[in-house]
Amino acid sequence: MSPLQLLTIGRISVDLYAEQLGVPLAEVRTFAKSIGGSPTNVAVAASRLGHRAAVVTAVGDDGFGDYARGALDGFGVDTTFVGTHARYRTPLAIAAMDPPDDPKLLFYREPSAPDEEIALEERHLEAARDAEIFWVSGSCLSGRDTGPTARAMLDARGRRRHTVLDLDYRPTFWPSESAASREIGGAIASVTVAVGNRRECEVAVGTGEPDAAADALLERGIELAVVKLGGDGVLVATREERARVEPTPVEVVCGLGAGDAFGGALCHGLLAGWELERVIRFANAAGAIVASRLACADAMPDAAEVEALLEGAVGAR
């Protein structure tokens, strides 16, 4: 079996997307079903781009768990590290497209979720050491068992290139913002790449101003800082270079999952060894495609779709 090109760790869910746009949850009549959870989506996105990807996560011993595992298989994601929890149910995430570019999310994860209860195994350490890219979702650091497991995997990897921290701040997963700042900010010392939006940078390093956030990340030993600016594009910085890359314009149907498509495409570019601006342009285009569709995992594009959008954007100038 060939080594993994991408290993992610963190949450998984069954996502229900409101098919009626621009209305509150109480008025939604029908939903579309897919799998979700940021690190799961990143693995799916990378798999769609041709890479051998796996996710360390867990589902419940229920029908939704069977669905999630089968969906991962269908997307070509290695399920070797997808556990089954006997007690907790597979979580749900319900999204109301109100408005479409900033959907309202309702999580069903009480009293806990299987992906928060991942106990450390030796095979986790081995996989973290061997994968070409190890991607840690910041929210998983809050998990009672998963947090220590993720930190042990980071320690085993030893800050090998490319070790990625998705700053991924979700208030619902944390007892307080200060707790999230302590754990997510502390993990920066174990990674070489950090990815987050302004708010996530503020939680992790104390500032959401893009250049200041990039500076703070680089000062902590990060090799590549990626600050997502929404409609203003992306700031990407290393110690040697810095650039702002404009977004790829699309009509937004669902803002969820665009960042995860960006993440999978970022991994694609890093694995290919592209120069930074090309990596970010490709990642922006992948995110734009998902933002134009209703779903996350099911909406992830392949490389030909991304290149076609990029060629079209250049031709329209």
Side-chain angles (χ1 to χ4, degrees), residues 30 39 58 71 80 123-124 148 177 202 213 244 247-248 291 303:
T30 57
T80 298
R123 64 189 185 128
H124 294 145
E177 184 174 319
E202 181 181 16
R244 292 197 183 218
T248 305

Side-chain angles (χ1 to χ4, degrees), residues 67-102:
Y67 164 74
R69 194 184 298 275
L72 286 172
D73 281 331
F75 289 125
V77 175
D78 188 328
T79 59
T80 298
F81 303 102
V82 180
T84 301
H85 199 283
R87 176 181 176 189
Y88 297 123
R89 294 176 178 173
T90 304
L92 301 178
I94 300 173
M97 307 303 148
D98 184 29
D101 60 345
D102 186 23

Side-chain angles (χ1 to χ4, degrees), residues 95-173:
M97 307 303 148
D98 184 29
D101 60 345
D102 186 23
K104 303 300 183 292
L105 273 174
L106 181 60
F107 292 100
Y108 283 81
R109 300 175 61 88
E110 292 84 8
S112 187
D115 57 37
E116 297 179 35
E117 310 287 334
I118 302 169
L120 181 64
E121 301 176 22
E122 180 60 35
R123 64 189 185 128
H124 294 145
L125 302 179
E126 182 179 352
R129 284 190 290 261
D130 292 346
E132 292 187 52
I133 298 178
F134 179 39
W135 179 288
V136 177
S137 170
S139 62
C140 84
L141 298 172
S142 68
R144 181 175 62 185
D145 289 332
T146 306
T149 293
R151 285 185 282 272
M153 292 170 72
L154 285 170
D155 289 344
R157 187 169 176 85
R159 213 175 198 181
R160 172 189 161 191
R161 200 184 194 218
H162 303 284
T163 307
V164 184
L165 177 64
D166 179 358
L167 301 179
D168 184 40
Y169 173 60
R170 300 275 183 170
T172 190
F173 294 101

